[in-house]
């Protein structure tokens, strides 16, 4: 397949850095006229066509008035409003951070749903091209729902989580592994030794097993803690159907605390018939904010959204379309917050 020359191709032929090419093509006064003319000649000779999106961004400072093309980023999610998209706070947090950063960098921001009644692989590509959208964020796609296929050579693309999906793009995510490890360490310091981990199977798949990896590392940190096997909620598990699973898990392993990525874990424990924290304590590794009633890790999902957008804009400005040879991974770590669901108890060692 023919690939159009990029700004990096111009830089390589001209023997300069790609930022010099960018400045020269914008007529920047800091680039000597001789160098500028040589770069323009090289660009013309190899058939380089300036990226419309990048040109629009460059022109914004000098074009304050009147209408002008404003580039757009598409944020893709595979759960529609009809399927509960608006009910999940983590989706809203990711999008809030991504939208804020996009607008700060001069981009419009559009959320597109890949779900029944909305877009699919057949309609998405034409829509993006029609609207001159070359930058897309795959926003925390869920493994048991629709996926997409695009001609990735036509787009700059990044992911939030979604590690189960092909292709292997650069991605940004919460640091689930170290969040579990940190939470386990805090619970251990509070005196708990029989620490169980309960997470959704869908969440474990989308993060490629990072919750379990964190638990394994935590056990190496604290070998005197009991080696309790994790509980994975099956696909489609609801709060109601999770309660008997929680009860069986506690009884079978004699747990004194449960570490979970569901924010309703305290309610589930109490509905399972246990007094929290006296009989069974709990902490959450995915808290949206500090709360007095629930201990755990406060995640920075808006920070994840901001970073993934910054990464995408960098790719757009360098015109790095397609699948990278070596995908990067960026993790945003959360912070422990005390709460009444995990009060200190007498240590046993």
């Amino acid at each position: 397949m023919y690939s159009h020359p990029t700004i990096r191709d111009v830089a390589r032929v001209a023997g300069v850095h790609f930022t010099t090419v960018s400045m020269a093509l914008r007529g920047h006064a800091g680039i000597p006229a001789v160098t500028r003319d040589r770069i323009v000649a090289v660009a013309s000779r190899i058939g380089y066509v300036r990226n419309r999106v990048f040109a629009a961004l460059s022109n914004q400072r000098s074009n304050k008035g009147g209408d002008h093309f404003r580039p757009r980023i598409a944020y893709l999610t595979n759960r529609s409003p009809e399927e509960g998209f608006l009910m999940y706070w983590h989706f809203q947090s990711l999008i809030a951070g991504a939208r804020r950063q996009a607008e700060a960098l001069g981009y419009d921001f559009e959320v597109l749903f890949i779900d029944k009644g909305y877009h699919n692989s057949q309609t998405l590509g034409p829509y993006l091209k029609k609207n001159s959208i070359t930058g897309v964020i795959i926003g925390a796609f869920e493994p048991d729902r629709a996926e997409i296929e695009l001609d990735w050579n036509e787009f700059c693309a990044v992911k939030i989580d979604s590690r189960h999906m092909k292709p292997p793009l650069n991605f940004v995510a919460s640091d689930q592994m170290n969040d579990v490890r940190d939470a386990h360490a805090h619970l251990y310091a509070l005196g708990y030794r029989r620490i169980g981990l309960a997470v959704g199977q869908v969440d474990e798949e989308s993060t490629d097993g990072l919750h379990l990896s964190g638990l394994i590392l935590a056990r190496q940190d604290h070998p005197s803690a009991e080696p309790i096997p994790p509980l994975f909620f099956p696909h489609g598990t609801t709060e109601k159907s999770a309660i008997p699973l929680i009860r069986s898990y506690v009884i079978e392993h004699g747990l004194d605390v449960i570490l979970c990525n569901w924010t309703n874990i305290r309610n589930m424990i109490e509905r399972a018939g246990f007094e929290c924290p006296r009989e069974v304590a709990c902490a959450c590794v995915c808290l949206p904010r500090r709360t007095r009633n629930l201990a755990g890790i406060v995640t920075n999902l808006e920070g994840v959204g901001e970073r993934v957008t910054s990464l995408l804009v960098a790719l757009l400005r360098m015109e790095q379309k397609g699948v990278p040879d070596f995908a990067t991974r960026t993790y945003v770590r959360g912070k422990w917050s005390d709460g009444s669901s995990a009060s200190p108890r007498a240590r046993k060692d």
Side-chain angles (χ1 to χ4, degrees):
M1 181 181 293
Y2 175 74
S3 178
H4 296 289
T6 69
I7 197 169
R8 289 182 175 271
D9 295 322
V10 177
R12 184 174 59 256
V13 175
V16 297
H17 195 269
F18 69 85
T19 56
T20 303
V21 174
S22 173
M23 295 171 68
L25 296 181
R26 287 186 283 125
H28 196 284
I31 304 299
V34 173
T35 303
R36 185 167 60 247
D37 292 344
R38 179 168 61 85
I39 291 173
V40 170
V42 168
S44 177
R45 186 171 76 249
I46 69 173
Y48 170 74
V49 178
R50 195 174 178 205
N51 184 290
R52 188 182 179 209
V53 171
F54 182 64
L57 289 172
S58 301
N59 290 334
Q60 282 184 353
R61 292 181 180 177
S62 60
N63 188 19
K64 297 295 184 180
D67 295 332
H68 62 275
F69 172 77
R70 185 173 171 86
R72 193 186 317 174
I73 287 173
Y75 185 104
L76 313 180
T77 176
N78 66 346
R79 181 179 288 275
S80 66
E82 289 79 4
E83 291 294 323
F85 171 79
L86 298 175
M87 296 170 53
Y88 291 87
W89 67 268
H90 63 281
F91 288 144
Q92 310 309 315
S93 297
L94 291 169
I95 287 174
R99 185 189 303 276
R100 181 170 58 247
Q101 187 70 351
E103 293 175 350
L105 295 173
Y107 286 79
D108 283 339
F109 186 88
E110 180 175 6
V111 178
L112 299 177
F113 300 105
I114 313 302
D115 206 351
K116 183 178 179 181
Y118 291 87
H119 283 291
N120 54 37
S121 295
Q122 288 68 46
T123 65
L124 181 61
Y127 177 87
L128 295 174
K129 291 182 180 180
K130 178 181 178 181
N131 290 276
S132 300
I133 301 174
T134 57
V136 297
I137 298 171
I138 298 174
F141 269 38
E142 299 173 68
D144 55 347
R145 304 186 64 82
E147 297 188 6
I148 56 168
E149 294 182 6
L150 290 172
D151 181 355
W152 298 106
N153 291 322
E154 296 294 323
F155 300 96
C156 297
V158 293
K159 293 180 181 179
I160 296 175
D161 291 325
S162 312
R163 292 180 61 179
H164 62 286
M165 281 183 58
K166 294 182 178 179
L169 300 170
N170 300 320
F171 78 88
V172 181
S174 294
D175 194 351
Q176 292 95 349
M177 183 179 72
N178 280 308
D179 287 348
V180 168
R181 189 178 185 181
D182 290 347
H184 190 284
H186 278 87
L187 292 173
Y188 187 89
L190 288 170
Y192 297 95
R193 294 296 178 267
R194 302 193 65 81
I195 304 172
L197 173 68
V199 298
Q201 182 66 44
V202 64
D203 303 311
E204 192 68 354
E205 291 176 8
S206 66
T207 62
D208 201 18
L210 289 183
H211 297 95
L212 179 57
S213 298
L215 179 62
I216 292 171
L217 291 174
R219 288 174 178 169
Q220 295 175 355
D221 296 336
H222 306 106
S224 61
E226 297 292 335
I228 308 297
L231 168 65
F232 295 117
F233 299 125
H235 287 241
T237 300
T238 63
E239 178 178 346
K240 182 178 180 179
S241 60
I243 291 171
L245 298 178
I246 290 288
R247 180 171 178 80
S248 297
Y249 188 44
V250 170
I251 293 174
E252 180 180 357
H253 299 286
L255 302 181
D256 51 24
V257 64
I258 293 180
L259 187 56
C260 185
N261 69 332
W262 289 21
T263 57
N264 52 355
I265 181 59
R266 180 166 188 165
N267 182 58
M268 289 193 293
I269 287 175
E270 292 173 343
R271 290 181 62 187
F274 304 105
E275 185 179 338
C276 179
R278 188 182 65 84
E279 293 181 307
V280 182
C282 65
C284 178
V285 292
C286 193
L287 286 173
R289 63 188 66 83
R290 292 178 179 272
T291 172
R292 291 180 296 176
N293 295 325
L294 186 58
I297 299 292
V298 178
T299 58
N300 185 9
L301 293 182
E302 290 196 15
V304 172
E306 291 176 359
R307 292 197 186 190
V308 80
T309 301
S310 295
L311 175 59
L312 178 59
V313 168
L315 295 177
L316 285 166
R317 292 182 175 178
M318 292 185 292
E319 301 180 30
Q320 290 188 352
K321 297 180 180 180
V323 180
D325 293 332
F326 302 98
T328 63
R329 303 176 181 181
T330 302
Y331 295 102
V332 180
R333 202 161 182 167
K335 186 176 182 180
W336 174 262
S337 174
D338 290 319
S340 63
S341 66
S343 56
R345 62 171 50 188
R347 299 184 183 183
K348 299 178 181 180
D349 60 334

